[in-house]
Amino acid sequence: MSHTSRTAALPDFAAVLAAAARIAPHARLTPILRDEALDALGGTTLHFKAEHLQRGGAFKFRGACNAVWALPDELAARGVLTHSSGNHGAALALAAASRGIAAHVVVPEGAVRAKLALIEAAGARVHRCAPTLAAREAACVELTQTLGTTLIHPYENPQVIAGQGTAALELLHALPDLDALVVPIGGGGLAAGSALSLQALAPRCELVLAEPDGADDAAQSLRSGTHVTAFTPHTICDGLRAGIGTPNFALLRATGASVITVSDAETRAAMRLLWRHLKQVVEPSSATVLAAVLQQRARFAGRRVGLILSGGNVDLDAIAFCARCGTG
């Protein structure tokens, strides 16, 4: 018998609060970072929620941990499964290990080596597949039927969405008077969870989504009001190549979120600034939030802006090679 935790009702803010309590023994309360030089560049006050310092190196641990610990004992005993290019897979493996259950991760060919290493180090069994969403989902269907595991979808699972919303919850508890919150968007789990927290705690705070212009399905979807699903991503932001999920799109459309698309060149420049000034290793997906603010300085000028740095799982060996050969 196969099990799925993907198709369920949208979560609400009560689910975010429940998630915060559920993951408290396991997740880190990440710091909020500041830098005067970056404030000056943006013409605004920037508050960086450092989710690259979360367990597993990304915010993804929040949602995965909530989903794993919300499972009834009978289902948990059969293990969990997901598909992931890296961060969610590593997060699910860590969360499963914290509960002492098995984890299986379907990983597409071409995944970042550092992220694949994290998945394996956390004890998950890796199943390789072709680098397409269809191949990922087909592999998950086969494995759930064979193993009887519960599928924890990377961004459409309501418990995952609620868990991701705890990052914004923590940020808003510390800084209740933010004028804007900027988060990256790929599948939309972090964005949708953040929207729930903003609605409840800071309804006047603007939610801005930072998206690569080579994977701008969320921007197209929210602009047109129709869920765009046919697109081929071309971006260095490997964590943001997924298409926005159906429940995520519905929630973000209802809450009036807007999108700023940024080029890979803008993302690279922002990542260098974060490395240089914050002295923090963040991945390209994280840097999109600063790139968005710097692209539209006038929009954010003089405002108090929160930015979620989503992850820091970078292939340092590849970066070192690029530095030696003069590329990248």
Side-chain angles (χ1 to χ4, degrees), residues 39-63:
D39 285 354
L41 283 172
T44 185
T45 306
L46 304 174
H47 304 267
F48 297 93
K49 179 65 168 165
E51 283 299 295
H52 63 295
L53 301 178
Q54 185 55 257
R55 288 187 64 185
F59 75 93
K60 295 279 191 177
F61 181 75
R62 295 175 179 274

Side-chain angles (χ1 to χ4, degrees), residues 20 175 182 184 191 193 198 231 240 242 275 290 314:
L175 299 166
V182 189
L198 283 182
F231 78 106
L240 303 180
W275 284 42
L290 179 59
V314 178

Side-chain angles (χ1 to χ4, degrees), residues 17-269:
L17 293 176
R22 189 176 288 121
I23 71 174
H26 312 285
R28 295 173 184 161
L29 177 62
T30 54
I32 299 168
L33 306 179
R34 296 288 320 284
D35 182 78
E36 293 80 2
L38 293 177
D39 285 354
L41 283 172
T44 185
T45 306
L46 304 174
H47 304 267
F48 297 93
K49 179 65 168 165
E51 283 299 295
H52 63 295
L53 301 178
Q54 185 55 257
R55 288 187 64 185
F59 75 93
K60 295 279 191 177
F61 181 75
R62 295 175 179 274
C65 183
N66 188 47
V68 163
W69 282 93
L71 287 175
D73 290 342
E74 179 187 354
L75 290 184
R78 301 175 189 177
V80 289
L81 164 74
T82 196
H83 63 77
S84 170
S85 61
N87 283 342
H88 176 69
L92 188 71
L94 285 170
S98 75
R99 193 167 177 180
I101 63 175
H104 299 263
V105 182
V106 173
V107 178
E109 297 293 342
V112 174
R113 285 181 296 173
K115 295 181 179 181
L116 180 58
L118 281 173
I119 295 172
E120 294 174 329
R125 181 176 174 184
V126 172
H127 306 264
R128 305 306 290 264
C129 73
T132 66
L133 181 59
R136 292 189 193 193
E137 293 187 340
C140 283
V141 169
E142 181 178 351
L143 286 167
T144 54
Q145 293 174 344
T146 302
L147 302 173
T149 52
T150 296
L151 173 66
I152 306 294
H153 192 273
Y155 44 85
E156 292 191 350
N157 180 300
Q159 299 288 6
V160 167
I161 293 171
Q164 314 306 28
T166 62
L169 177 70
E170 290 176 6
L171 181 59
L172 291 169
H173 278 164
L175 299 166
D177 56 348
L178 287 177
D179 299 305
L181 175 65
V182 189
V183 304
I185 184 163
L190 178 62
S194 298
L196 293 173
S197 291
L198 283 182
Q199 270 189 314
L201 299 180
R204 295 183 181 179
C205 181
E206 180 185 12
L207 178 60
V208 180
L209 314 176
E211 184 173 46
D213 60 11
D216 65 342
D217 63 297
Q220 293 183 49
S221 297
L222 291 171
R223 184 170 57 245
S224 67
T226 302
H227 190 190
V228 173
T229 57
F231 78 106
T232 301
H234 295 286
T235 176
I236 61 170
C237 303
D238 63 284
L240 303 180
R241 292 173 185 158
I244 185 172
T246 299
N248 316 72
F249 167 63
L251 199 157
L252 292 167
R253 184 184 180 195
T255 54
S258 62
V259 183
I260 296 175
T261 58
V262 296
S263 68
D264 280 356
E266 290 172 317
T267 296
R268 286 191 185 94

